[in-house]
């Protein structure tokens, strides 16, 4: 990691900090003593003193006492901050009631110490970022930074030493094969962790950089020292901070002046340190030979508690089911589906959900067009890259994981609100083996049930089993700024962008950075654990706005961004002050919930100039308290005000060396980004709809000669005519697979089919075996053509002789309104009547519980009621042309059984009933409508129609009821 040199600006800041401290610590008391003197009385005041008139002199004395107290408090803050900074151990304690004063003291002390430390020395780790605000809780240094399950806990030294000696024995042979330790004790080198410079803790990466010439060799140091008891009784885990006084055994080729040889060769080392190194050397792998013979794994003296590495095999209920199992098992048959979306379950679920909502919106918006031929009943079928991306979204999405994450976070917020506790500051969340781990900025006490304390006091953990017990609660989303960055050791990291006290910088090649920025923007715009937010994109992403026009805002340059954010920062500070909140977190709980506390996340892809970088750093200094987050791209990796520095490599690794993180990055490459945007643009309800009405994707020959070989009834209870019921336990799967294929006549990708039938993943052989059974069950046509085929793109398609009642319903309506029925009234009436007869209830009305979950991704559940309503309306119009009101009412009632919420059907039913001339019958219908409307009351258009048809309806209904 390249460190920034001290600049002239650093020296200027240090000088002014020294002057300010001198004035505040020495000048203020000096001025008070010389100009005003001692303000308190020289003796014990009598009772008469309290009855004297308050003069200007008395008032000045009171003010002087207040100034003396403020000076004393600030002096205490400076002493506390100086002690913590110089000792380098932990973080300073909080001086009571001194939030702003201590913050000022901290900044002045830090600026003064800057002359002796590099700027990188002030880059806090993920577990140390909480010292910029939140004066309600005492901050502490978290012991861990990365994957849950890899965090060390404090140990009893004696018991822990015995346990580690036994445990290390089993690894000795493998470690020796890997060259993990030196063979001769006299050649072994050690490094003793020194107190941090300024406020920066050393890391394995930096030690490897200094003494091995390559920071990436930190893993070698970790392998040499993992699980060995340190002098303070604790142990090194891969993710933990290393602490002053710890000892690290080093590889044999380590070089550097601060390395220590064995004690007898290091006369300059104190006897205590020599003894510590000697004791530590006895626990290395080179000392395990004898112990391996009979050590075993039993813990002496009752043993020591240790968090083990989580099992890399995901359980069946894991939230990342498709990534670990389905994707891994079927990687050899992906047919070119983009892996970037297959391995991004939360992003894919957000995009898929948003796309479904967009298509439904377009469908409903189209429903208010003219009865008959209108465009929009069938969404356009994607092709090419867009089709591949849509399939990847269907395979990779984990909507259940998103639902559990959202419910868990809202449930936590509700529980804390019931206990009148503030939301803790959360920097990150880890999804690991189905469990959710929240990493807090500082300890926040005991978590509310069913949450549990994690590996240390800065982690709250919720198991998957407990998360499934949560119900939906009416509370604001507490952490809407969480966004996926990637995976590490099979755990997924979500960084809370709005909580980081400063800028998050991202370096790397421009194309690689763009893929990260696009992924972050797309997930923030569509995720399911947020309510409202603003996402400002600068220097990229103008084409991403269709994903969420209400969330995404695009700015052309940094100048416009700075102007915008300066105004918003002032506004948010004022709003927080007026509301009496110290941060947006306290504004998201209790009665103070308001959209003003929604986050504003800024994604700046282009490298800012030096002047702009300083302005952004100033804006970001207080941003986390205000709910504003900044992710900024940089070519050099050197950005002022960066609290967390990341780098994206050409191999898709997201590195944060000072934090010990090396993630498999979540990306949205340019090709997939364009395809995703294409899907959303095609589904835009505001797009130009001029042109012919959209025809169904599959039209059936509705003549007598077009009788199908296999006929499936999907509209209502599921029935199949023309095939024998398959025997065995695979029958339900075969029926479900056929239903999916019938609803997608354009073809179904094998990966989509398997992920629909087995959401938790399945191997190739199991899927292929089912497809073989499905082919055998469906059979062949008389000419020998198989009824289940594979097209040129590898997708599964059904023969035209396999038909569903939904296909027939669509074809009948299309023919009645756009085909032969247009020119023939008699044909139109017969076709519409035949279509309405097919409707026996909702789609797949008797489907088994727990199956057909893929229907949540479909819009057919919205299409079918609209299609039935359109058919009923068209048949009503057909009968009303001949004044057959009763026939029209019969058709409308039949349609209402499937589409009871369609306002258009009720309006036509009111008109048809009015046409009968039966006022009492119309009054009864109006009363029924009012009862159905509930507390919200009748829609305005319905009320206006009743006023037209039954002017006295309010009095009549009141008298009747």
């Amino acid at each position: 990691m390249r460190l920034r040199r001290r600049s002239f600006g650093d020296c200027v800041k240090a000088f002014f900090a020294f002057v300010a401290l001198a004035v505040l610590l020495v000048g203020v008391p000096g001025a008070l003593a010389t100009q005003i003197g001692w303000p308190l009385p020289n003796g014990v005041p009598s009772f008469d003193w309290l009855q004297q008139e308050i003069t200007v002199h008395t008032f000045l004395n009171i003010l002087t006492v207040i100034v003396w107290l403020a000076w004393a408090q600030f002096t205490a803050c400076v002493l506390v901050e100086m002690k913590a900074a110089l000792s380098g151990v932990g973080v300073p304690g909080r001086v009571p009631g001194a939030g702003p004063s201590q913050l000022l003291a901290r900044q002045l002390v830090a600026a003064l110490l800057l002359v002796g430390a590099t700027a990188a020395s002030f880059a806090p780790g993920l577990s140390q970022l909480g010292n910029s605000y939140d004066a309600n809780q005492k901050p502490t240094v978290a012991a861990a930074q990365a994957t849950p399950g890899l965090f060390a806990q404090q140990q009893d030294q004696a018991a822990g030493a015995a346990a580690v000696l036994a445990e290390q024995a089993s690894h000795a042979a493998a470690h020796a094969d890997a060259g993990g330790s030196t063979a001769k004790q006299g050649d072994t080198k050690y490094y003793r962790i020194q107190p941090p410079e300024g406020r920066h803790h050393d890391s394995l990466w930096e030690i490897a950089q200094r003494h091995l010439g390559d920071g990436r060799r930190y893993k070698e140091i970790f392998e040499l020292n993992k699980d060995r008891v340190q002098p303070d009784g604790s142990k090194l885990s891969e993710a933990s901070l290393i602490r002053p006084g710890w000892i690290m055994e080093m590889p044999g080729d380590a070089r550097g002046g601060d390395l220590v040889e064995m004690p007898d060769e290091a006369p300059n080392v104190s006897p205590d340190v020599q003894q510590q190194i000697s004791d530590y050397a006895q626990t290395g792998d080179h000392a395990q030979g004898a112990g391996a013979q009979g050590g075993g794994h039993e813990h002496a003296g009752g043993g020591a508690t240790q968090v083990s590495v989580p099992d890399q095999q995901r359980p069946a209920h894991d939230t990342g089911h498709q990534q670990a199992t389905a994707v891994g098992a079927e990687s050899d048959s992906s047919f070119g589906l983009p892996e970037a979306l297959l391995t991004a379950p939360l992003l894919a679920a957000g995009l898929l959900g948003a796309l479904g909502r967009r298509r439904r919106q377009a469908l409903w918006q189209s429903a208010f067009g003219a009865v008959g031929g209108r465009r929009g009943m069938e969404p356009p079928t994607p092709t090419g890259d867009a089709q591949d991306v849509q399939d990847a979204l269907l395979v990779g999405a984990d909507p259940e994981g998103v639902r559990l994450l959202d419910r868990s976070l809202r449930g936590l917020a509700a529980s804390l609100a019931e206990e009148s506790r503030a939301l803790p500051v959360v920097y990150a969340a880890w999804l690991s083996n189905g469990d959710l781990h929240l990493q807090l900025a500082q300890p926040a006490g005991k978590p509310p049930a069913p949450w549990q304390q994690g590996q240390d006091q800065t982690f709250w953990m919720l198991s998957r089993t407990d998360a499934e017990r949560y119900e939906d609660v009416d509370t604001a989303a507490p952490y809407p700024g969480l966004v996926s960055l990637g995976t590490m050791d099979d755990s997924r990291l979500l960084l809370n962008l709005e909580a980081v006290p400063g800028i998050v910088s991202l370096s790397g090649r421009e194309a690689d950075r763009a893929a990260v920025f696009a992924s972050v923007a797309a997930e923030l715009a569509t995720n399911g654990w947020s309510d409202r937010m603003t996402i400002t994109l600068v220097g990229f992403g103008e084409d991403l706005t269709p994903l969420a026009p209400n969330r995404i805002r695009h700015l052309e340059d940094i100048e416009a961004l700075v102007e915008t954010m300066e105004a918003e920062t002032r506004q948010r500070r004022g709003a927080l002050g007026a509301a009496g909140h110290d941060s947006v977190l306290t504004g998201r709980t209790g009665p103070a919930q308001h959209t003003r506390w929604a986050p504003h996340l800024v994604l700046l892809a282009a490298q800012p100039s030096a002047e702009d970088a300083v302005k952004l750093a100033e804006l970001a200094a207080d941003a986390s308290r205000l709910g504003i987050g900044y992710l900024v791209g940089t070519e050099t990796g050197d950005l002022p005000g960066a609290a967390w520095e990341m780098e994206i490599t050409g191999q898709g690794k997201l590195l944060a060396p000072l934090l010990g993180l090396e993630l498999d990055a979540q990306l949205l490459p340019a090709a997939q980004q364009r395809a995703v945007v294409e899907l959303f643009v095609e589904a835009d309800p505001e797009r130009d709809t001029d042109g012919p009405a959209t025809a169904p994707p599959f039209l059936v020959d509705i003549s007598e000669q077009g009788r199908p070989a296999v006929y499936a009834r999907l509209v209502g209870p599921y029935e199949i005519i023309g095939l024998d019921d398959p025997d065995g336990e695979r029958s339900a799967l075969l029926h479900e697979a056929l239903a999916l294929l019938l609803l997608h006549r354009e073809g179904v990708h094998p990966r989509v089919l398997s992920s629909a039938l087995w959401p938790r993943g399945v191997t190739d052989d199991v899927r292929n075996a089912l497809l073989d059974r499905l082919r055998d069950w469906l059979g062949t046509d008389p000419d020998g053509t198989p009824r289940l085929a594979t097209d040129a793109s590898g997708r599964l398609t059904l023969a035209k002789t396999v038909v569903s009642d939904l296909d027939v319903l669509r074809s009948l309506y299309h023919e009645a309104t756009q085909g032969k029925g247009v020119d023939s009234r008699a044909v139109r009436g017969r076709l519409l009547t035949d279509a309405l007869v097919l409707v026996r209830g909702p789609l797949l009305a008797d489907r088994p519980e727990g199956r057909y979950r893929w229907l949540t991704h479909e819009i057919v559940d919205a299409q079918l009621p609209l299609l039935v309503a359109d058919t009923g309306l068209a048949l009503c119009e057909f009968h009303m042309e001949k004044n057959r009101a009763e026939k029209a009412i019969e058709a409308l009632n039949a349609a209402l059984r499937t589409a009871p919420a369609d306002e258009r059907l009720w309006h036509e039913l009111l008109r048809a009933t009015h046409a009968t001339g039966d006022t009492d019958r119309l009054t009864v219908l109006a009363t029924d409508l009012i009862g159905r409307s509930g507390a919200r009351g009748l829609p305005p258009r319905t009320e206006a129609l009743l006023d037209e048809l039954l002017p006295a309806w309010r009095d009549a209904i009141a008298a009747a009821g």
Side-chain angles (χ1 to χ4, degrees), residues 762-786:
V762 72
T763 57
D764 286 348
D765 55 347
V766 174
R767 181 200 63 206
N768 293 336
L770 180 79
L771 291 178
D772 290 340
R773 291 190 183 95
L774 184 59
R775 287 190 181 94
D776 293 340
W777 182 42
L778 291 174
T780 60
D781 287 331
D783 61 358
T785 303

Side-chain angles (χ1 to χ4, degrees), residues 1-4 118-129 141-146 196-197 199-210 215-216 218 237-243 439 488 503 505 507 637-639 642-647 654-663:
M1 173 61 70
R2 183 173 56 83
L3 302 179
R4 183 169 67 88
T118 63
S121 299
F122 291 91
L126 183 60
S127 300
Q128 299 170 280
L129 299 179
V141 177
Q145 297 168 317
E197 295 184 47
R199 300 294 296 281
H200 171 59
H201 288 263
D202 211 344
S203 69
L204 294 184
W205 180 286
E206 291 176 297
I207 295 173
Q209 185 73 37
R210 289 196 303 269
R216 297 177 188 272
Y218 76 92
S237 73
E238 187 171 6
S240 64
L241 286 169
I242 55 179
R243 302 171 185 167
Q439 186 162 351
M488 176 180 179
I503 293 172
S505 69
S507 61
D638 186 6
L639 194 67
W644 196 16
E645 297 177 349
M646 302 186 300
E647 176 189 359
L654 192 65
L655 307 178
L658 293 178
L659 305 173
L661 295 180
E662 183 174 331
L663 306 171

Side-chain angles (χ1 to χ4, degrees), residues 73 101 223 303 306 315 390 443 539 562 610 637 649 654 668 747 783 907 938:
Q73 184 188 59
S101 297
E223 290 297 332
Q306 182 176 353
Q390 178 173 277
V562 171
T649 70
L654 192 65
L668 186 60
D783 61 358
H907 289 176
L938 293 173

Side-chain angles (χ1 to χ4, degrees), residues 58-72:
T58 305
F59 183 70
L60 289 176
N61 283 343
I62 294 174
L63 289 179
T64 304
V65 171
I66 295 174
V67 174
W68 273 108
L69 292 175
W71 171 82

Side-chain angles (χ1 to χ4, degrees), residues 54-97:
I54 297 178
T55 63
V56 174
H57 180 72
T58 305
F59 183 70
L60 289 176
N61 283 343
I62 294 174
L63 289 179
T64 304
V65 171
I66 295 174
V67 174
W68 273 108
L69 292 175
W71 171 82
Q73 184 188 59
F74 178 76
T75 302
C77 294
V78 172
L79 294 175
V80 168
E81 294 292 330
M82 288 292 292
K83 178 179 180 299
L86 294 176
S87 66
V89 179
V91 296
R94 183 173 66 87
V95 177

Side-chain angles (χ1 to χ4, degrees), residues 5 66 193 197 228 338 391 541 591 771 774 806 845 878:
R5 299 175 180 273
I66 295 174
I193 308 301
E197 295 184 47
R228 294 167 66 179
D391 287 341
L771 291 178
L774 184 59
L806 183 57
F878 172 81

